[in-house]
Short mmCIF file of all heavy atoms in Angstrom, two decimals:
data_model
loop_
_atom_site.label_atom_id
_atom_site.label_comp_id
_atom_site.label_asym_id
_atom_site.label_seq_id
_atom_site.Cartn_x
_atom_site.Cartn_y
_atom_site.Cartn_z
N GLN S 1500 101.03 -77.77 -36.52
CA GLN S 1500 102.07 -76.73 -36.36
C GLN S 1500 103.43 -77.27 -36.75
O GLN S 1500 104.24 -76.59 -37.39
CB GLN S 1500 102.12 -76.27 -34.90
CG GLN S 1500 101.05 -75.26 -34.53
CD GLN S 1500 100.87 -75.17 -33.01
OE1 GLN S 1500 101.64 -75.74 -32.24
NE2 GLN S 1500 99.85 -74.44 -32.60
N GLN S 1501 103.72 -78.52 -36.35
CA GLN S 1501 105.02 -79.11 -36.63
C GLN S 1501 105.22 -79.40 -38.12
O GLN S 1501 106.34 -79.47 -38.60
CB GLN S 1501 105.18 -80.45 -35.88
CG GLN S 1501 105.23 -80.33 -34.38
CD GLN S 1501 106.46 -79.59 -33.94
OE1 GLN S 1501 107.57 -79.98 -34.24
NE2 GLN S 1501 106.27 -78.48 -33.23
N ASP S 1502 104.10 -79.65 -38.81
CA ASP S 1502 104.18 -80.15 -40.19
C ASP S 1502 103.03 -79.54 -40.99
O ASP S 1502 102.05 -80.21 -41.33
CB ASP S 1502 104.05 -81.69 -40.14
CG ASP S 1502 104.06 -82.33 -41.50
OD1 ASP S 1502 104.45 -81.68 -42.48
OD2 ASP S 1502 103.67 -83.52 -41.58
N PRO S 1503 103.16 -78.23 -41.35
CA PRO S 1503 102.05 -77.54 -42.01
C PRO S 1503 101.64 -78.17 -43.34
O PRO S 1503 100.50 -78.03 -43.77
CB PRO S 1503 102.58 -76.11 -42.22
CG PRO S 1503 103.71 -75.97 -41.26
CD PRO S 1503 104.29 -77.34 -41.07
N GLU S 1504 102.55 -78.88 -43.98
CA GLU S 1504 102.22 -79.53 -45.26
C GLU S 1504 101.50 -80.86 -45.06
O GLU S 1504 100.97 -81.44 -46.01
CB GLU S 1504 103.50 -79.82 -46.06
CG GLU S 1504 104.40 -78.63 -46.30
CD GLU S 1504 103.71 -77.58 -47.15
OE1 GLU S 1504 103.17 -77.96 -48.20
OE2 GLU S 1504 103.71 -76.40 -46.74
N GLY S 1505 101.51 -81.35 -43.83
CA GLY S 1505 100.95 -82.68 -43.55
C GLY S 1505 99.43 -82.68 -43.54
O GLY S 1505 98.79 -81.63 -43.55
N ASP S 1506 98.86 -83.90 -43.49
CA ASP S 1506 97.40 -84.06 -43.50
C ASP S 1506 96.97 -84.69 -42.18
O ASP S 1506 97.11 -85.91 -41.99
CB ASP S 1506 97.03 -84.95 -44.70
CG ASP S 1506 95.52 -85.01 -44.93
OD1 ASP S 1506 94.77 -84.64 -44.01
OD2 ASP S 1506 95.11 -85.46 -46.02
N TYR S 1507 96.51 -83.86 -41.25
CA TYR S 1507 96.12 -84.32 -39.92
C TYR S 1507 94.66 -83.95 -39.70
O TYR S 1507 94.27 -82.80 -39.92
CB TYR S 1507 96.99 -83.66 -38.84
CG TYR S 1507 98.46 -83.97 -39.03
CD1 TYR S 1507 99.31 -83.09 -39.70
CD2 TYR S 1507 98.99 -85.17 -38.56
CE1 TYR S 1507 100.64 -83.38 -39.89
CE2 TYR S 1507 100.33 -85.47 -38.75
CZ TYR S 1507 101.15 -84.57 -39.42
OH TYR S 1507 102.47 -84.88 -39.62
N ARG S 1508 93.86 -84.93 -39.27
CA ARG S 1508 92.42 -84.69 -39.14
C ARG S 1508 91.93 -85.19 -37.79
O ARG S 1508 92.44 -86.19 -37.26
CB ARG S 1508 91.67 -85.46 -40.24
CG ARG S 1508 92.23 -85.17 -41.62
CD ARG S 1508 91.46 -85.92 -42.68
NE ARG S 1508 92.20 -85.87 -43.95
CZ ARG S 1508 91.74 -86.36 -45.09
NH1 ARG S 1508 90.55 -86.92 -45.15
NH2 ARG S 1508 92.47 -86.28 -46.19
N ILE S 1509 90.91 -84.50 -37.28
CA ILE S 1509 90.23 -84.99 -36.08
C ILE S 1509 89.40 -86.21 -36.49
O ILE S 1509 88.65 -86.14 -37.47
CB ILE S 1509 89.29 -83.91 -35.50
CG1 ILE S 1509 90.06 -82.64 -35.14
CG2 ILE S 1509 88.49 -84.45 -34.31
CD1 ILE S 1509 90.94 -82.77 -33.93
N GLY S 1510 89.55 -87.30 -35.78
CA GLY S 1510 88.76 -88.49 -36.13
C GLY S 1510 88.98 -89.59 -35.13
O GLY S 1510 89.93 -89.56 -34.34
N ARG S 1511 88.08 -90.54 -35.15
CA ARG S 1511 88.15 -91.68 -34.23
C ARG S 1511 88.29 -92.97 -35.05
O ARG S 1511 87.73 -93.09 -36.14
CB ARG S 1511 86.85 -91.80 -33.41
CG ARG S 1511 86.51 -90.58 -32.60
CD ARG S 1511 85.25 -90.83 -31.81
NE ARG S 1511 85.47 -91.85 -30.78
CZ ARG S 1511 86.04 -91.60 -29.61
NH1 ARG S 1511 86.40 -90.38 -29.29
NH2 ARG S 1511 86.22 -92.57 -28.74
N ALA S 1512 89.01 -93.91 -34.46
CA ALA S 1512 89.23 -95.19 -35.13
C ALA S 1512 87.91 -95.92 -35.41
O ALA S 1512 87.82 -96.67 -36.37
CB ALA S 1512 90.13 -96.08 -34.26
N GLU S 1513 86.92 -95.67 -34.56
CA GLU S 1513 85.66 -96.40 -34.69
C GLU S 1513 84.82 -95.93 -35.87
O GLU S 1513 83.82 -96.58 -36.22
CB GLU S 1513 84.82 -96.27 -33.41
CG GLU S 1513 85.44 -96.90 -32.18
CD GLU S 1513 86.26 -95.92 -31.34
OE1 GLU S 1513 86.81 -94.94 -31.92
OE2 GLU S 1513 86.35 -96.12 -30.12
N ALA S 1514 85.15 -94.77 -36.46
CA ALA S 1514 84.37 -94.26 -37.60
C ALA S 1514 85.34 -93.55 -38.53
O ALA S 1514 85.42 -92.32 -38.55
CB ALA S 1514 83.28 -93.30 -37.11
N LEU S 1515 86.09 -94.32 -39.29
CA LEU S 1515 87.10 -93.73 -40.18
C LEU S 1515 86.40 -93.10 -41.38
O LEU S 1515 85.66 -93.78 -42.10
CB LEU S 1515 88.11 -94.80 -40.61
CG LEU S 1515 88.96 -95.38 -39.47
CD1 LEU S 1515 89.83 -96.54 -39.97
CD2 LEU S 1515 89.83 -94.30 -38.83
N ASP S 1516 86.67 -91.82 -41.58
CA ASP S 1516 85.94 -91.06 -42.59
C ASP S 1516 86.64 -91.17 -43.95
O ASP S 1516 87.07 -90.16 -44.52
CB ASP S 1516 85.85 -89.61 -42.11
CG ASP S 1516 84.83 -88.82 -42.91
OD1 ASP S 1516 84.07 -89.45 -43.68
OD2 ASP S 1516 84.82 -87.58 -42.78
N PHE S 1517 86.82 -92.42 -44.41
CA PHE S 1517 87.52 -92.67 -45.67
C PHE S 1517 86.79 -93.78 -46.42
O PHE S 1517 86.19 -94.66 -45.78
CB PHE S 1517 88.97 -93.10 -45.43
CG PHE S 1517 89.76 -92.10 -44.61
CD1 PHE S 1517 89.96 -92.31 -43.26
CD2 PHE S 1517 90.25 -90.95 -45.20
CE1 PHE S 1517 90.65 -91.38 -42.50
CE2 PHE S 1517 90.96 -90.02 -44.44
CZ PHE S 1517 91.16 -90.23 -43.09
N PRO S 1518 86.87 -93.76 -47.75
CA PRO S 1518 86.24 -94.84 -48.52
C PRO S 1518 86.89 -96.19 -48.25
O PRO S 1518 88.04 -96.25 -47.77
CB PRO S 1518 86.48 -94.43 -49.97
CG PRO S 1518 86.98 -93.04 -49.95
CD PRO S 1518 87.56 -92.77 -48.59
N ASP S 1519 86.18 -97.25 -48.58
CA ASP S 1519 86.75 -98.60 -48.52
C ASP S 1519 88.02 -98.64 -49.38
O ASP S 1519 88.11 -97.97 -50.41
CB ASP S 1519 85.77 -99.63 -49.11
CG ASP S 1519 84.46 -99.69 -48.34
OD1 ASP S 1519 84.33 -99.01 -47.31
OD2 ASP S 1519 83.57 -100.44 -48.79
N ARG S 1520 88.97 -99.47 -48.96
CA ARG S 1520 90.16 -99.78 -49.77
C ARG S 1520 90.93 -98.54 -50.21
O ARG S 1520 91.34 -98.42 -51.36
CB ARG S 1520 89.76 -100.60 -51.02
CG ARG S 1520 89.05 -101.90 -50.68
CD ARG S 1520 88.75 -102.73 -51.91
NE ARG S 1520 87.73 -102.13 -52.74
CZ ARG S 1520 86.43 -102.26 -52.55
NH1 ARG S 1520 85.97 -102.98 -51.54
NH2 ARG S 1520 85.58 -101.69 -53.36
N SER S 1521 91.12 -97.56 -49.28
CA SER S 1521 91.80 -96.34 -49.73
C SER S 1521 93.27 -96.24 -49.32
O SER S 1521 93.96 -95.30 -49.71
CB SER S 1521 91.05 -95.08 -49.28
OG SER S 1521 90.50 -95.23 -48.02
N TYR S 1522 93.79 -97.21 -48.52
CA TYR S 1522 95.19 -97.14 -48.08
C TYR S 1522 95.87 -98.49 -48.31
O TYR S 1522 95.26 -99.54 -48.11
CB TYR S 1522 95.27 -96.79 -46.59
CG TYR S 1522 94.80 -95.39 -46.32
CD1 TYR S 1522 93.47 -95.14 -45.97
CD2 TYR S 1522 95.66 -94.31 -46.45
CE1 TYR S 1522 93.03 -93.84 -45.75
CE2 TYR S 1522 95.23 -93.01 -46.24
CZ TYR S 1522 93.91 -92.79 -45.89
OH TYR S 1522 93.47 -91.51 -45.69
N ASP S 1523 97.15 -98.45 -48.68
CA ASP S 1523 97.88 -99.73 -48.76
C ASP S 1523 98.61 -100.04 -47.45
O ASP S 1523 99.15 -101.13 -47.28
CB ASP S 1523 98.82 -99.80 -49.98
CG ASP S 1523 99.86 -98.71 -50.02
OD1 ASP S 1523 99.79 -97.78 -49.18
OD2 ASP S 1523 100.74 -98.76 -50.89
N LEU S 1524 98.61 -99.06 -46.52
CA LEU S 1524 99.23 -99.27 -45.20
C LEU S 1524 98.39 -98.57 -44.14
O LEU S 1524 98.08 -97.37 -44.29
CB LEU S 1524 100.66 -98.70 -45.22
CG LEU S 1524 101.45 -98.75 -43.93
CD1 LEU S 1524 101.70 -100.19 -43.48
CD2 LEU S 1524 102.81 -98.04 -44.12
N VAL S 1525 97.99 -99.31 -43.12
CA VAL S 1525 97.30 -98.71 -41.97
C VAL S 1525 98.16 -99.00 -40.75
O VAL S 1525 98.64 -100.13 -40.58
CB VAL S 1525 95.87 -99.27 -41.81
CG1 VAL S 1525 95.23 -98.78 -40.51
CG2 VAL S 1525 95.00 -98.87 -43.00
N ILE S 1526 98.36 -97.97 -39.93
CA ILE S 1526 99.24 -98.11 -38.76
C ILE S 1526 98.47 -97.81 -37.49
O ILE S 1526 97.72 -96.83 -37.42
CB ILE S 1526 100.43 -97.14 -38.90
CG1 ILE S 1526 101.33 -97.63 -40.02
CG2 ILE S 1526 101.24 -97.06 -37.61
CD1 ILE S 1526 102.15 -96.58 -40.62
N SER S 1527 98.69 -98.65 -36.51
CA SER S 1527 98.19 -98.37 -35.16
C SER S 1527 99.41 -98.47 -34.25
O SER S 1527 99.86 -99.56 -33.91
CB SER S 1527 97.13 -99.39 -34.76
OG SER S 1527 96.92 -99.31 -33.36
N TYR S 1528 99.96 -97.32 -33.91
CA TYR S 1528 101.20 -97.27 -33.11
C TYR S 1528 100.80 -96.95 -31.67
O TYR S 1528 100.53 -95.79 -31.34
CB TYR S 1528 102.13 -96.21 -33.68
CG TYR S 1528 103.59 -96.25 -33.21
CD1 TYR S 1528 104.60 -95.84 -34.05
CD2 TYR S 1528 103.93 -96.68 -31.94
CE1 TYR S 1528 105.94 -95.86 -33.64
CE2 TYR S 1528 105.25 -96.71 -31.52
CZ TYR S 1528 106.26 -96.30 -32.37
OH TYR S 1528 107.57 -96.32 -31.95
N LEU S 1529 100.71 -97.97 -30.86
CA LEU S 1529 100.32 -97.84 -29.45
C LEU S 1529 98.98 -97.11 -29.31
O LEU S 1529 98.86 -96.15 -28.54
CB LEU S 1529 101.41 -97.13 -28.64
CG LEU S 1529 102.74 -97.88 -28.52
CD1 LEU S 1529 103.72 -97.13 -27.64
CD2 LEU S 1529 102.55 -99.30 -27.99
N THR S 1530 98.00 -97.57 -30.06
CA THR S 1530 96.66 -96.97 -29.92
C THR S 1530 95.55 -97.98 -29.63
O THR S 1530 94.48 -97.58 -29.19
CB THR S 1530 96.25 -96.17 -31.18
OG1 THR S 1530 96.19 -97.05 -32.30
CG2 THR S 1530 97.21 -95.04 -31.47
N LEU S 1531 95.79 -99.28 -29.87
CA LEU S 1531 94.70 -100.24 -29.59
C LEU S 1531 94.28 -100.13 -28.13
O LEU S 1531 93.09 -100.26 -27.81
CB LEU S 1531 95.13 -101.68 -29.92
CG LEU S 1531 95.46 -101.99 -31.38
CD1 LEU S 1531 95.72 -103.49 -31.55
CD2 LEU S 1531 94.38 -101.54 -32.34
N ILE S 1532 95.26 -99.89 -27.25
CA ILE S 1532 94.97 -99.78 -25.81
C ILE S 1532 94.22 -98.50 -25.45
O ILE S 1532 93.76 -98.34 -24.32
CB ILE S 1532 96.27 -99.88 -24.97
CG1 ILE S 1532 97.48 -99.31 -25.74
CG2 ILE S 1532 96.61 -101.32 -24.63
CD1 ILE S 1532 97.99 -98.05 -25.40
N ASP S 1533 94.11 -97.57 -26.42
CA ASP S 1533 93.41 -96.30 -26.15
C ASP S 1533 91.99 -96.29 -26.70
O ASP S 1533 91.22 -95.38 -26.40
CB ASP S 1533 94.17 -95.14 -26.80
CG ASP S 1533 95.50 -94.91 -26.13
OD1 ASP S 1533 95.55 -94.13 -25.18
OD2 ASP S 1533 96.49 -95.55 -26.54
N ILE S 1534 91.66 -97.26 -27.52
CA ILE S 1534 90.41 -97.20 -28.28
C ILE S 1534 89.31 -97.97 -27.53
O ILE S 1534 89.44 -99.17 -27.29
CB ILE S 1534 90.63 -97.80 -29.68
CG1 ILE S 1534 91.66 -96.96 -30.45
CG2 ILE S 1534 89.30 -97.88 -30.43
CD1 ILE S 1534 92.14 -97.60 -31.75
N PRO S 1535 88.21 -97.30 -27.18
CA PRO S 1535 87.17 -97.99 -26.40
C PRO S 1535 86.47 -99.11 -27.18
O PRO S 1535 86.40 -100.24 -26.71
CB PRO S 1535 86.18 -96.87 -26.03
CG PRO S 1535 86.94 -95.59 -26.20
CD PRO S 1535 87.98 -95.85 -27.26
N ASP S 1536 85.98 -98.81 -28.39
CA ASP S 1536 85.23 -99.84 -29.13
C ASP S 1536 86.17 -100.52 -30.11
O ASP S 1536 86.20 -100.21 -31.31
CB ASP S 1536 84.03 -99.19 -29.84
CG ASP S 1536 83.19 -100.24 -30.57
OD1 ASP S 1536 83.58 -101.43 -30.59
OD2 ASP S 1536 82.16 -99.86 -31.14
N ILE S 1537 86.95 -101.45 -29.58
CA ILE S 1537 88.01 -102.06 -30.39
C ILE S 1537 87.45 -102.93 -31.51
O ILE S 1537 88.05 -103.07 -32.57
CB ILE S 1537 88.99 -102.85 -29.48
CG1 ILE S 1537 90.29 -103.15 -30.21
CG2 ILE S 1537 88.36 -104.13 -28.95
CD1 ILE S 1537 91.09 -101.92 -30.54
N ARG S 1538 86.26 -103.50 -31.29
CA ARG S 1538 85.67 -104.39 -32.31
C ARG S 1538 85.38 -103.58 -33.58
O ARG S 1538 85.77 -103.96 -34.69
CB ARG S 1538 84.42 -105.05 -31.76
CG ARG S 1538 84.78 -106.11 -30.76
CD ARG S 1538 83.77 -106.40 -29.69
NE ARG S 1538 84.36 -107.33 -28.72
CZ ARG S 1538 85.15 -106.93 -27.71
NH1 ARG S 1538 85.43 -105.66 -27.50
NH2 ARG S 1538 85.67 -107.85 -26.89
N THR S 1539 84.71 -102.44 -33.39
CA THR S 1539 84.39 -101.60 -34.55
C THR S 1539 85.67 -101.03 -35.15
O THR S 1539 85.82 -100.96 -36.38
CB THR S 1539 83.45 -100.45 -34.11
OG1 THR S 1539 82.33 -101.03 -33.47
CG2 THR S 1539 83.00 -99.61 -35.27
N ALA S 1540 86.61 -100.63 -34.31
CA ALA S 1540 87.84 -99.99 -34.81
C ALA S 1540 88.63 -100.95 -35.70
O ALA S 1540 89.12 -100.55 -36.77
CB ALA S 1540 88.69 -99.51 -33.64
N ILE S 1541 88.78 -102.19 -35.28
CA ILE S 1541 89.56 -103.14 -36.10
C ILE S 1541 88.84 -103.41 -37.42
O ILE S 1541 89.47 -103.47 -38.49
CB ILE S 1541 89.87 -104.42 -35.29
CG1 ILE S 1541 90.97 -104.09 -34.27
CG2 ILE S 1541 90.28 -105.57 -36.20
CD1 ILE S 1541 91.40 -105.21 -33.37
N ALA S 1542 87.53 -103.49 -37.38
CA ALA S 1542 86.77 -103.68 -38.63
C ALA S 1542 86.97 -102.47 -39.54
O ALA S 1542 87.12 -102.62 -40.77
CB ALA S 1542 85.29 -103.88 -38.32
N GLU S 1543 87.01 -101.26 -38.96
CA GLU S 1543 87.20 -100.06 -39.75
C GLU S 1543 88.61 -100.02 -40.38
O GLU S 1543 88.77 -99.66 -41.55
CB GLU S 1543 87.01 -98.81 -38.88
CG GLU S 1543 85.55 -98.43 -38.68
CD GLU S 1543 84.98 -97.88 -39.97
OE1 GLU S 1543 85.08 -96.67 -40.21
OE2 GLU S 1543 84.45 -98.70 -40.76
N MET S 1544 89.62 -100.38 -39.60
CA MET S 1544 90.99 -100.38 -40.13
C MET S 1544 91.09 -101.33 -41.31
O MET S 1544 91.76 -101.05 -42.31
CB MET S 1544 91.99 -100.78 -39.04
CG MET S 1544 92.13 -99.75 -37.94
SD MET S 1544 93.37 -100.28 -36.73
CE MET S 1544 92.78 -99.45 -35.26
N CYS S 1545 90.41 -102.46 -41.19
CA CYS S 1545 90.45 -103.45 -42.27
C CYS S 1545 89.66 -102.95 -43.49
O CYS S 1545 90.10 -103.11 -44.63
CB CYS S 1545 89.87 -104.76 -41.73
SG CYS S 1545 90.05 -106.07 -42.86
N ARG S 1546 88.54 -102.30 -43.24
CA ARG S 1546 87.70 -101.79 -44.35
C ARG S 1546 88.48 -100.82 -45.25
O ARG S 1546 88.36 -100.88 -46.48
CB ARG S 1546 86.46 -101.09 -43.76
CG ARG S 1546 85.53 -100.49 -44.82
CD ARG S 1546 84.36 -99.74 -44.20
NE ARG S 1546 84.75 -98.55 -43.47
CZ ARG S 1546 85.14 -97.38 -44.02
NH1 ARG S 1546 85.19 -97.25 -45.33
NH2 ARG S 1546 85.47 -96.34 -43.26
N VAL S 1547 89.27 -99.91 -44.63
CA VAL S 1547 89.94 -98.89 -45.45
C VAL S 1547 91.22 -99.41 -46.12
O VAL S 1547 91.84 -98.70 -46.90
CB VAL S 1547 90.24 -97.60 -44.64
CG1 VAL S 1547 88.95 -97.01 -44.08
CG2 VAL S 1547 91.26 -97.84 -43.54
N LEU S 1548 91.61 -100.65 -45.79
CA LEU S 1548 92.81 -101.24 -46.42
C LEU S 1548 92.48 -101.76 -47.82
O LEU S 1548 91.45 -102.40 -48.03
CB LEU S 1548 93.28 -102.45 -45.61
CG LEU S 1548 94.44 -102.32 -44.65
CD1 LEU S 1548 94.79 -103.72 -44.13
CD2 LEU S 1548 95.65 -101.66 -45.28
N GLU S 1549 93.42 -101.52 -48.74
CA GLU S 1549 93.31 -102.15 -50.07
C GLU S 1549 93.52 -103.65 -49.94
O GLU S 1549 94.20 -104.09 -49.01
CB GLU S 1549 94.45 -101.64 -50.96
CG GLU S 1549 94.33 -100.23 -51.41
CD GLU S 1549 95.58 -99.79 -52.19
OE1 GLU S 1549 96.52 -100.61 -52.36
OE2 GLU S 1549 95.60 -98.63 -52.60
N PRO S 1550 92.99 -104.45 -50.89
CA PRO S 1550 93.37 -105.86 -50.93
C PRO S 1550 94.90 -105.97 -50.98
O PRO S 1550 95.56 -105.17 -51.65
CB PRO S 1550 92.73 -106.37 -52.23
CG PRO S 1550 91.60 -105.43 -52.47
CD PRO S 1550 92.03 -104.09 -51.94
N ALA S 1551 95.43 -106.93 -50.23
CA ALA S 1551 96.88 -107.15 -50.10
C ALA S 1551 97.57 -106.06 -49.28
O ALA S 1551 98.79 -106.06 -49.14
CB ALA S 1551 97.57 -107.34 -51.45
N GLY S 1552 96.79 -105.13 -48.73
CA GLY S 1552 97.36 -104.06 -47.91
C GLY S 1552 97.79 -104.57 -46.54
O GLY S 1552 97.43 -105.67 -46.12
N THR S 1553 98.57 -103.73 -45.85
CA THR S 1553 99.21 -104.14 -44.58
C THR S 1553 98.69 -103.31 -43.41
O THR S 1553 98.59 -102.09 -43.51
CB THR S 1553 100.74 -103.92 -44.71
OG1 THR S 1553 101.24 -104.87 -45.66
CG2 THR S 1553 101.46 -104.12 -43.39
N LEU S 1554 98.36 -104.01 -42.34
CA LEU S 1554 98.02 -103.36 -41.06
C LEU S 1554 99.18 -103.62 -40.10
O LEU S 1554 99.45 -104.77 -39.74
CB LEU S 1554 96.71 -103.95 -40.51
CG LEU S 1554 96.31 -103.52 -39.10
CD1 LEU S 1554 96.16 -102.02 -38.97
CD2 LEU S 1554 95.00 -104.22 -38.69
#
Side-chain angles (χ1 to χ4, degrees):
Q1500 280 162 7
Q1501 294 294 303
D1502 178 15
E1504 306 296 311
D1506 188 344
Y1507 301 96
R1508 308 181 193 185
I1509 301 288
R1511 302 182 67 81
E1513 295 94 331
L1515 295 174
D1516 194 11
F1517 303 100
D1519 297 356
R1520 301 184 290 276
S1521 37
Y1522 292 93
D1523 58 352
L1524 177 63
V1525 172
I1526 290 156
S1527 165
Y1528 195 149
L1529 296 183
T1530 62
L1531 297 186
I1532 30 105
D1533 292 270
I1534 297 170
D1536 183 356
I1537 196 65
R1538 286 152 187 83
T1539 306
I1541 285 179
E1543 279 289 272
M1544 291 182 208
C1545 187
R1546 179 183 66 74
V1547 301
L1548 260 187
E1549 288 175 0
T1553 291
L1554 172 58

